[in-house]
Amino acid sequence: MRYEAPSGVVSAAPALTVSPLTTRSGLRVAGEVGLATHHVWERALERAVREDGDVYHLELSAVTFIDVAGAGALAAAAQELGAGRRMVLDHPPHALRRVLDMFWPDLSTIEVSVS
């Protein structure tokens, strides 16, 4: 899929890829979370909610952009986790950490790991 920017420059549409982690329960996410990729992001989050286990990792070091709606979808999914469960965000973009701190500061089902 391609779209034409207002300047007339043709570029590829934003992409988001999701793949399973091999060493622990979770997913590796790469690309942009925005209007064109929300369906992929929301399916990944639905999978996280359905999975068994206390901890679900989202490796986000290769995410280059996430909009507020994407952060909201993440917060909503985290709120659906059962008692004692949590999502660990590994190396999330700085902007996502700031949005979570601003709008969902007391969301205990999300843990941010930057190490």
Side-chain angles (χ1 to χ4, degrees), residues 13-114:
L16 185 68
T17 59
V18 177
S19 56
L21 294 173
T22 57
T23 59
R24 56 190 171 188
S25 177
L27 296 171
R28 173 171 284 107
V29 183
E32 298 182 14
V33 178
L35 185 60
T37 60
H38 275 209
H39 63 285
V40 175
W41 178 241
E42 289 171 358
R43 269 190 261 134
L45 295 173
E46 288 170 5
R47 179 177 176 177
V49 170
R50 284 193 317 265
E51 289 287 320
D52 291 332
D54 294 338
V55 180
Y56 195 83
H57 290 266
L58 291 173
E59 167 52 59
L60 304 176
S61 63
V63 172
T64 56
F65 173 79
I66 183 165
D67 63 10
V68 174
L74 174 63
Q79 291 169 341
E80 291 182 35
L81 294 174
R85 295 189 63 214
R86 71 184 193 281
M87 286 185 196
V88 175
L89 309 183
D90 295 315
H91 302 92
H94 180 71
L96 175 59
R97 294 192 313 254
R98 289 197 61 205
V99 168
L100 290 172
D101 285 343
M102 285 174 40
F103 294 106
W104 298 278
D106 299 323
L107 190 55
S108 62
T109 52
I110 292 181
E111 177 184 323
V112 175
S113 173
V114 292

